[in-house]
Amino acid sequence: MLDNLTARLDKAMKSLKGEGKITEVNVATTIKEIRRALVDADVDYKVAKTVTDEIKEEAYGRDVLIAVKPGELFTKIVYDKLTALMGGEKKEMNLSGNPSIILVAGLNGAGKTTFTAKLANHLKKQNRQVLLAACDIYRPAAIEQLQTLAGQIDVEVYAEPENKNPIQIAENAVKYGKENGKKVIIIDTAGRLAIDESLMKEIEEIKRVLNPTETLFVVDAMTGQDAVTTAKIFNDRINYDGVVLTKLDGDSRGGAALSIRRVVDKPIKFIGTSEKMDGIDAFHPDRMAQRILG
Ligand code: GDP
């Protein structure tokens, strides 16, 4: 899978090797090629720049200038670097609460409601008693959507279709969950088409009142560079614990994973890989590095 990048880097180096000079200029050209590859994969430009600057330092340290196969060595350095940047210390979801409350936030269309149900399915398979709370009171049919998905996986939904106060619904859901022996309560919140102050205030307030065990931010991988901006704004307001990157079954190369990790420094905990209820996977930094590098 990494052949593409290796070929690109070999080419970049060869053109200069032909002149018999493997020099700093040569390395600079290769670094530029790596940066282009990252930007092509939707990595934020500024992130691509700092990451490639670091790769350059590393390349000198590793004597890439005298390597027999510099393209290959460069590719390995880049791959290892991306894997490390997206991995770090792997953090599992915190499920130590009794019950654990998981707050799910993000923009409309990101895949929040779908992920909420997928996560319930995932936890149910681990024999946990799960309750879903439908707190998206603005989007038409959001409650029905959650109920339909929950029906497919046989998980209970707490909803108050007449109530227009999502904070109250969330609180009531937690109370109901406690009374009925649920171990995990997942709260599906309202999104907006774009960032808006009333949405942010609402989600901040829900978080303050519920004090969730885990707050997850859901973002569509296909939105590329916009994903980073949204991830940053949500993090500044609600200081979430982890990121869910959805729609990775699409064409996206997944550069958002690297940018988000770099800009907000929060772990990506899950990825979405289909519209179906089993389309949820743990995040693997090495696989994502391969995907980004193509
Ligand atoms: P919400 O507005 O954030 O709650 O988003 P939804 O959960 O309603 O999802 C929006 C659309 O994206 C729906 O058509 C989902 O079926 C679809 N979707 C969600 N997650 C994924 C995913 O991982 N892969 C694909 N292909 N589609 C997804």
Side-chain angles (χ1 to χ4, degrees):
M1 245 181 128
L2 296 174
D3 293 352
N4 246 348
L5 182 70
T6 307
R8 272 171 88 161
L9 300 189
D10 268 341
K11 198 166 161 237
M13 300 208 85
K14 245 181 223 134
S15 61
L16 289 147
K17 244 193 219 168
E19 296 169 13
K21 284 182 254 163
I22 298 178
T23 62
E24 286 190 20
V25 178
N26 185 322
V27 171
T29 308
T30 310
I31 288 291
K32 221 179 261 171
E33 195 61 36
I34 296 169
R35 191 171 301 157
R36 210 170 293 148
L38 294 180
V39 172
D40 284 352
D42 261 349
V43 175
D44 176 80
Y45 181 79
K46 273 192 231 146
V47 171
K49 172 138 184 26
T50 53
V51 168
T52 43
D53 284 347
E54 289 168 25
I55 289 169
K56 188 168 158 186
E57 290 302 308
E58 207 160 309
Y60 281 126
R62 300 265 293 270
D63 280 342
V64 79
L65 294 180
I66 54 167
V68 181
K69 293 181 174 169
E72 256 177 42
L73 180 58
F74 246 119
T75 304
K76 183 163 173 17
I77 292 172
V78 177
Y79 171 78
D80 288 348
K81 177 85 184 168
L82 297 198
T83 305
L85 283 178
M86 290 186 289
E89 211 173 302
K90 192 168 172 358
K91 272 189 152 176
E92 299 295 332
M93 240 189 347
N94 180 0
L95 292 172
S96 64
N98 190 23
S100 296
I101 300 170
I102 303 175
L103 184 64
V104 182
L107 290 182
N108 267 355
K112 251 183 334 312
T113 302
T114 310
F115 168 73
T116 304
K118 283 178 184 174
L119 182 63
N121 193 33
H122 175 77
L123 294 170
K124 189 185 167 215
K125 284 183 190 160
Q126 299 172 349
N127 292 320
R128 296 178 205 268
Q129 288 289 319
V130 184
L131 177 69
L132 287 169
C135 296
D136 182 352
I137 52 154
Y138 306 104
R139 189 160 59 92
I143 298 176
E144 290 87 6
Q145 186 192 355
L146 191 62
Q147 280 165 335
T148 304
L149 296 176
Q152 291 170 20
I153 55 172
D154 196 21
V155 167
E156 191 177 355
V157 177
Y158 182 90
E160 294 184 30
E162 303 306 318
N163 191 342
K164 293 293 170 215
N165 182 339
I167 296 164
Q168 223 174 53
I169 302 171
E171 282 184 297
N172 291 344
V174 172
K175 188 163 168 275
Y176 176 87
K178 281 181 180 162
E179 285 166 3
N180 289 275
K182 305 293 183 187
K183 297 295 173 223
V184 187
I185 302 167
I186 310 175
I187 317 271
D188 183 26
T189 63
R192 293 285 193 278
L193 288 174
I195 298 283
D196 115 353
E197 187 54 26
S198 65
L199 163 76
M200 286 299 158
K201 282 218 168 88
E202 180 177 296
I203 192 81
E204 267 178 338
E205 186 62 6
I206 294 180
K207 186 169 184 223
R208 191 186 62 75
V209 171
L210 293 188
N211 189 22
T213 337
E214 181 88 16
T215 302
L216 296 175
F217 166 70
V218 180
V219 64
D220 179 344
M222 311 272 281
T223 55
Q225 311 234 354
D226 278 349
V228 192
T229 317
T230 317
K232 182 156 179 7
I233 294 173
F234 269 81
N235 193 49
D236 288 347
R237 299 297 289 262
I238 59 169
N239 188 24
Y240 49 75
D241 302 296
V243 178
V244 179
L245 206 54
T246 62
K247 308 190 195 180
L248 276 167
D249 48 315
D251 291 338
S252 141
R253 292 268 301 278
L258 179 66
S259 309
I260 291 174
R261 181 68 207 229
R262 189 73 193 211
V263 171
V264 297
D265 196 26
K266 290 288 166 71
I268 294 162
K269 296 200 173 175
F270 292 101
I271 61 169
T273 55
S274 81
E275 292 184 83
K276 301 211 180 79
M277 286 299 95
D278 58 0
I280 175 173
D281 214 341
F283 177 71
H284 295 279
D286 51 345
R287 289 185 208 164
M288 191 57 77
Q290 284 219 357
R291 182 178 178 131
I292 290 173
L293 296 176

